[in-house]
Amino acid sequence: MSGFKAFVLKGNLVEIATGLIMALAFAAVVTTFTEWLTGLLPNTDDFFSGEAGSFGAFLNALISFLIMGAVVYFFIVLPYTKARERFFPTEEAGAAPDVALLEEIRDLLRARGGAV
């Protein structure tokens, strides 16, 4: 039972569950926006229909997918990336601590007049 308790109380599990809940809620927003936007476009269900199936339905699904991808990218990914860079800037890659220590020792030896 303690293993299960540790699994449930792990931070990552809570973050994943929260992300999933938010994603499902946002999916409804994106779906309704996509339906509204595709409603403005001409219906392609009747185009290219034949015995092999309706290419128009595929075309509508493809347009919906591209619109959803654009909405997610421009309204979630791009603002998140900019906010993360603004509030949590990446640190410049400096020398590793052991290399910095060795360089400091080298500089001290040079200052003392020792051979390096």
Side-chain angles (χ1 to χ4, degrees):
M1 194 65 166
S2 64
F4 178 73
K5 181 179 173 184
F7 172 72
V8 170
L9 295 178
K10 255 187 173 178
N12 291 345
L13 183 64
V14 173
E15 290 172 3
I16 290 171
T18 304
L20 180 62
I21 291 167
M22 293 302 295
L24 291 173
F26 189 72
V29 174
V30 172
T31 301
T32 55
F33 177 76
T34 303
E35 289 173 358
W36 171 77
L37 197 57
T38 54
L40 300 176
L41 300 174
N43 189 1
T44 58
D45 281 341
D46 298 332
F47 298 146
F48 308 112
S49 44
E51 294 180 19
S54 175
F55 183 71
F58 168 74
L59 197 57
N60 273 347
L62 182 63
I63 291 170
S64 295
F65 173 76
L66 292 175
I67 291 171
M68 280 189 187
V71 167
V72 168
Y73 178 75
F74 288 111
F75 292 111
I76 295 178
V77 174
L78 199 59
Y80 171 75
T81 305
K82 287 184 180 184
R84 187 181 64 199
E85 289 173 359
R86 180 178 176 196
F87 295 113
F88 303 104
T90 56
E91 296 179 13
E92 293 183 17
D98 55 347
V99 174
L101 180 62
L102 289 172
E103 288 175 351
E104 185 178 340
I105 292 171
R106 179 197 63 198
D107 294 340
L108 287 172
L109 286 174
R110 275 193 186 149
R112 285 184 32 194
V116 177

